[in-house]
Amino acid sequence: MEESPRRPEITYPTRVPMKIIGRQEEMRPDMILDLILTHLGPQADGDERHQFNCRGAFISYTFWITLPHDQAETPLREAIQKLPGVVMQL
């Protein structure tokens, strides 16, 4: 019987992308950035800028974030999910 592959070990702090998808007319990147800074503190130079992609009524924003420890991501994602217009996070 084959062993299932193990997840790679993550060392912290770690820098990862976070994509937030939502309704273009409601979701604002400044609100997302405010939550990132509130939950994670100052980010690396340049990471306060985001990339975006728009399709019809929906837009996605990608931010690079630095997670200081393994418990930091969940509260941030929970807060972002409550923002107006947010549909999905990757």
Side-chain angles (χ1 to χ4, degrees):
M1 178 180 239
E2 282 185 44
E3 283 187 40
S4 59
R6 292 177 16 159
R7 288 184 170 201
E9 192 170 318
I10 299 173
T11 56
Y12 292 91
T14 189
R15 186 173 178 258
V16 295
M18 177 180 272
K19 181 177 276 195
I20 301 96
I21 302 166
R23 292 181 291 282
Q24 186 174 187
E25 293 184 12
E26 295 178 65
M27 198 168 69
R28 294 189 0 230
D30 60 318
M31 294 171 75
I32 298 168
L33 180 59
D34 285 347
L35 286 176
I36 290 170
L37 296 176
T38 297
H39 284 264
L40 303 179
Q43 297 294 291
D45 287 341
D47 282 354
E48 292 184 7
R49 291 186 298 254
H50 61 275
Q51 297 174 323
F52 69 95
N53 190 3
C54 187
R55 290 256 165 108
F58 295 93
I59 192 164
S60 69
Y61 295 105
T62 302
F63 288 87
W64 281 89
I65 60 172
T66 300
L67 298 170
H69 51 76
D70 64 339
Q71 303 297 312
E73 186 173 7
T74 300
L76 172 60
R77 287 191 179 275
E78 288 171 351
I80 288 172
Q81 193 61 43
K82 294 176 184 175
L83 290 175
V86 172
V87 174
M88 176 187 309
Q89 300 178 55
L90 304 173

